[in-house]
Amino acid sequence: MVAARATERYRRSRQGQDLSKSERETLIRSYLPTARSDSPGQGWRRRARSKPIRTFLKTQLYLLSYEAIQILFSVYLWFRQTYHALLDLTFSMLYYHHRTPELIERDVKALGRLPDHLSVILTLRDNVRAGKALETLMDEAAEIVAWCAAAGIPTLSVYEKSGLLKSYIPQTHRAMASKLGAYFGTRRPSLQLGAPHVPSYLNGDRFPDDGSPPLSYGHLSVLLVSAEDGRESLVDLTKTLAEMSQRDKLSIDDISIDLVDVELTDNIMGEPDLLILFGPYVELQGYPPWQIRLTEIFHMQDNRRVGYQVFLRALHSYAKAHMRFGR
């Protein structure tokens, strides 16, 4: 309503006659911004056309900087990969097991300490067919089992995210036992293979729950772990403790970190002393988080295969590590 009255006053003069066009322009000229000589579009086009050389030089400078960064980074990667390849070759020449346990024992004899529980992360290869991928995975796990047996490491846990090895425990046990036979011959140590919530196997037979393993040339316990034994197990344990507390079967005061640690250790596995990653990056792939609070983690840049040199360098790194435990 107010706008309508203002418009009407604007259109009419004091005598009641309509204002002419020039009078209306004079009336509102004081409220208009100062007129520009050129429109914004024309000014922008003139400025753009007036500096073509500067724009071209800026573009070329950006391209040159981008290419220089790419070249420098490529040179750095080449030198780094070459250095690691030469280092790996040197270790291969100085230290190689030749499937002889005595040589492996000699390689680790000078180390000040060895892990009581070693854990490794293996990756299922996607670029090969399913049967070949499973065979490769079993062979890699069997090689590591033989190295641990020769080095005197009593416990080994093998983590594979999908849990494929856990689905083929008898076949995996036969592959590991065969590899131990190739290394040790008739002196093959006893092998216990199991997984969380799955019965264990000892030399092809079910491991008795109340009996001890028979005497042999050493004993090695191997545990197969997958992603379902990680965060999911922690969530399930939390739900179980909450339900027991609601049903008055467990007091809230009894629920502590020590209780959770004991339950996860008994149902899944204990804390490994050393975790080896056979990949170029520190990628845990869903590894059980609770069990690696105090674990030493080792990996090698630019490495993409399971090799004895990585295994040996991890043991050397562990022997030199200082365990301060918060101090």
Side-chain angles (χ1 to χ4, degrees):
M1 185 64 68
V2 176
R5 288 198 299 267
T7 302
E8 187 66 21
R9 286 198 302 269
Y10 165 75
R11 289 182 178 274
R12 297 185 179 277
S13 65
R14 295 179 180 179
Q15 291 79 17
Q17 298 178 354
D18 293 339
L19 297 175
S20 64
K21 178 180 178 182
S22 60
E23 291 174 336
R24 290 198 299 268
E25 290 178 353
T26 303
L27 182 63
I28 66 173
R29 184 174 293 122
S30 60
Y31 300 99
L32 297 177
T34 305
R36 300 176 59 178
S37 58
D38 297 320
S39 63
Q42 293 176 347
W44 178 84
R45 285 193 293 270
R46 183 178 292 108
R47 288 194 299 271
R49 287 194 298 268
S50 62
K51 302 177 181 178
I53 298 179
R54 182 180 299 180
T55 303
F56 173 77
L57 292 178
K58 283 184 178 180
T59 304
Q60 296 303 315
L61 179 61
Y62 296 151
L63 291 177
L64 181 61
S65 301
Y66 177 74
E67 294 293 337
I69 292 174
Q70 277 196 327
I71 293 174
L72 290 176
F73 191 69
S74 300
V75 172
Y76 161 73
L77 285 181
W78 183 83
F79 274 105
R80 193 186 73 180
Q81 292 173 357
T82 303
Y83 167 75
H84 288 144
L86 292 175
L87 195 62
D88 188 52
L89 180 62
T90 303
F91 265 80
S92 300
M93 296 174 60
L94 296 177
Y95 305 99
Y96 189 71
H97 52 77
H98 297 285
R99 292 195 172 186
T100 305
E102 289 77 13
L103 294 180
I104 299 177
E105 184 178 359
R106 185 195 65 182
D107 292 340
V108 302
K109 187 177 181 179
L111 299 180
R113 60 176 176 172
L114 291 173
D116 294 325
H117 181 183
L118 173 67
S119 186
V120 297
I121 295 180
L122 300 182
T123 304
L124 183 66
R125 303 181 188 277
D126 298 329
N127 55 352
V128 295
R129 55 188 179 88
K132 183 65 175 177
L134 177 59
E135 182 181 350
T136 302
L137 194 63
M138 287 184 179
D139 185 70
E140 291 175 347
E143 285 285 349
I144 299 173
V145 165
W147 301 339
C148 289
I153 299 174
T155 305
L156 169 68
S157 55
V158 179
Y159 176 85
E160 194 278 314
K161 184 177 181 180
S162 67
L164 185 62
L165 289 178
K166 295 170 60 176
S167 303
Y168 296 91
I169 288 183
Q171 294 86 342
T172 304
H173 187 280
R174 284 197 295 269
M176 292 179 177
S178 176
K179 187 70 68 173
L180 287 175
Y183 273 76
F184 292 88
T186 57
R187 298 172 52 249
R188 185 187 73 178
S190 62
L191 173 66
Q192 176 186 346
L193 178 64
H197 315 297
V198 176
S200 300
Y201 279 78
L202 177 66
N203 290 342
D205 300 324
R206 291 292 179 92
F207 186 70
D209 296 333
D210 55 349
S212 59
L215 296 177
S216 62
Y217 295 97
H219 177 72
L220 177 64
S221 298
V222 181
L223 185 66
L224 304 179
V225 191
S226 63
E228 65 181 6
D229 302 315
R231 292 181 176 86
E232 295 182 11
S233 297
L234 193 59
V235 172
D236 293 340
L237 177 60
T238 304
K239 292 180 179 178
T240 301
L241 294 177
E243 292 176 358
M244 293 179 64
S245 177
Q246 291 176 351
R247 297 175 183 177
D248 296 330
K249 294 182 178 181
L250 182 66
S251 173
I252 297 180
D253 298 332
D254 295 333
I255 301 177
S256 62
I257 294 179
D258 294 335
L259 176 62
V260 175
D261 185 66
V262 170
E263 291 294 331
L264 291 177
T265 300
D266 293 341
N267 296 324
I268 307 299
M269 68 174 186
E271 295 184 9
D273 301 309
L274 174 63
L275 173 62
I276 302 178
L277 311 178
F278 292 98
Y281 315 109
V282 179
E283 186 177 1
L284 299 180
Q285 304 179 22
Y287 192 93
W290 186 273
Q291 284 80 358
I292 55 174
R293 297 173 299 166
L294 303 175
T295 300
E296 187 77 13
I297 300 177
F298 179 84
H299 89 291
M300 282 179 54
Q301 286 183 326
D302 305 318
N303 177 72
R304 298 181 181 276
R305 64 185 184 88
V306 177
Y308 176 70
Q309 291 73 31
V310 181
F311 172 81
L312 188 60
R313 291 181 65 182
L315 296 183
H316 278 264
S317 176
Y318 175 78
K320 297 177 182 177
H322 296 281
M323 305 297 180
R324 301 185 183 278
F325 300 108
R327 292 195 297 269

